[in-house]
Amino acid sequence: MISNFSIVQCIFNRDQYTPEEMRRILLEAEQDESSAAKLLADDAMDINPVRTAVLLAMGNNYPNQELHYASYMEMFMTAMKTMLHTEAVVERFPCEEDEEQPCYATSQRLSGDISFTAGLIASEPVYLKLAERYSEEELPEMDEMAKDCLEEFINVLNGMFSVSLGEQNIETDLELPRFGQNVIPHGSNQLRLRVHSAVGSFQVVMATDEFF
């Protein structure tokens, strides 16, 4: 069973550090997780800090169907650490700003008992760094290799999410991943969340249909 506990998300939820300070904490935590643990006080700790952050961002603006968003983000943030070897935290309010251009988007739709689309949008430098973390190879410029790396990452992650839904008797099929440049997302029931990582910030987008 995958643990949804994140020391760095607990720290971020306490609203004591700026995004720039958090990036330093994230980089240090990648080298030695105990460095982050030392920043936590001895008081009660949230055991599901990512879910807490996402539910706060959602507020009362989404019907029950969209509660899949919190579960997806828990899986996404765990995958950042296990598949991209990158420490990251998610903000507790919706993202409203667009990424610096050129930026790139990778998404994938799940269809069936529910319609759900999820993916990420990142500026070119951050997109390349995320692709490098997945491939474990240097990617100096935007090319098919970088595109394929993040399409594979999203495909594997969404496949895991589809399996998780299946365990709840919600049957879904994965459609092919999509790729876009300079995307302004506009999906139905759309939630955009800013993620801060050790390699820079980007946004995760979830919606009930294609958002680009």
Side-chain angles (χ1 to χ4, degrees):
M1 183 174 180
I2 297 174
S3 170
N4 293 315
F5 178 69
S6 167
I7 291 175
V8 289
Q9 186 71 49
C10 280
I11 294 169
F12 191 54
N13 283 1
R14 293 184 178 187
D15 205 24
Q16 295 175 330
Y17 299 95
T18 66
E20 292 74 21
E21 290 171 329
M22 275 307 304
R23 186 175 179 186
R24 174 183 55 79
I25 292 169
L26 293 169
L27 285 166
E28 292 174 353
E30 286 187 0
Q31 304 300 318
D32 178 12
E33 193 169 51
S34 67
S35 67
K38 292 173 184 175
L39 297 175
L40 287 176
D42 294 330
D43 53 337
M45 204 177 299
D46 185 355
I47 62 171
N48 295 303
V50 172
R51 177 170 289 267
T52 295
V54 176
L55 292 178
L56 285 170
M58 291 173 64
N60 297 317
N61 298 320
Y62 299 85
N64 290 336
Q65 182 183 8
E66 278 67 66
L67 290 178
H68 298 303
Y69 293 0
S71 297
Y72 181 82
M73 279 305 299
E74 286 185 312
M75 190 169 287
F76 186 98
M77 299 302 284
T78 298
M80 283 290 294
K81 190 167 185 176
T82 59
M83 296 167 60
L84 271 62
H85 319 293
T86 303
E87 292 283 357
V89 292
V90 59
E91 290 191 350
R92 292 162 293 157
F93 44 87
C95 174
E96 297 181 353
E97 69 273 13
D98 298 324
E99 301 308 299
E100 181 180 344
Q101 296 187 3
C103 65
Y104 304 99
T106 299
S107 73
Q108 187 175 37
R109 180 170 178 256
L110 283 69
S111 58
D113 290 345
I114 65 168
S115 177
F116 174 84
T117 301
L120 61 85
I121 305 174
S123 64
E124 184 171 297
V126 177
Y127 194 94
L128 286 171
K129 288 294 184 183
L130 292 172
E132 284 183 347
R133 290 294 179 99
Y134 186 77
S135 67
E136 299 183 349
E137 296 181 23
E138 186 174 348
L139 300 172
E141 59 185 25
M142 189 62 201
D143 57 14
E144 282 297 314
M145 177 69 169
K147 172 178 173 288
D148 290 347
C149 283
L150 288 192
E151 284 188 351
E152 183 176 337
F153 167 67
I154 291 295
N155 187 61
V156 172
L157 171 61
N158 289 359
M160 292 166 55
F161 188 61
S162 179
V163 170
S164 176
L165 290 173
E167 293 171 350
Q168 305 170 51
N169 296 316
I170 301 171
E171 298 303 320
T172 54
D173 295 313
L174 288 175
E175 300 187 4
L176 291 175
R178 291 168 51 120
F179 173 81
Q181 182 172 351
N182 299 335
V183 167
I184 308 294
H186 54 271
S188 301
N189 301 301
Q190 177 175 279
L191 178 64
R192 301 164 66 182
L193 294 172
R194 171 69 56 191
V195 173
H196 299 283
S197 80
V199 299
S201 71
F202 60 96
Q203 60 182 284
V204 173
V205 183
M206 295 169 286
T208 50
D209 57 10
E210 297 286 0
F211 59 82
F212 71 91

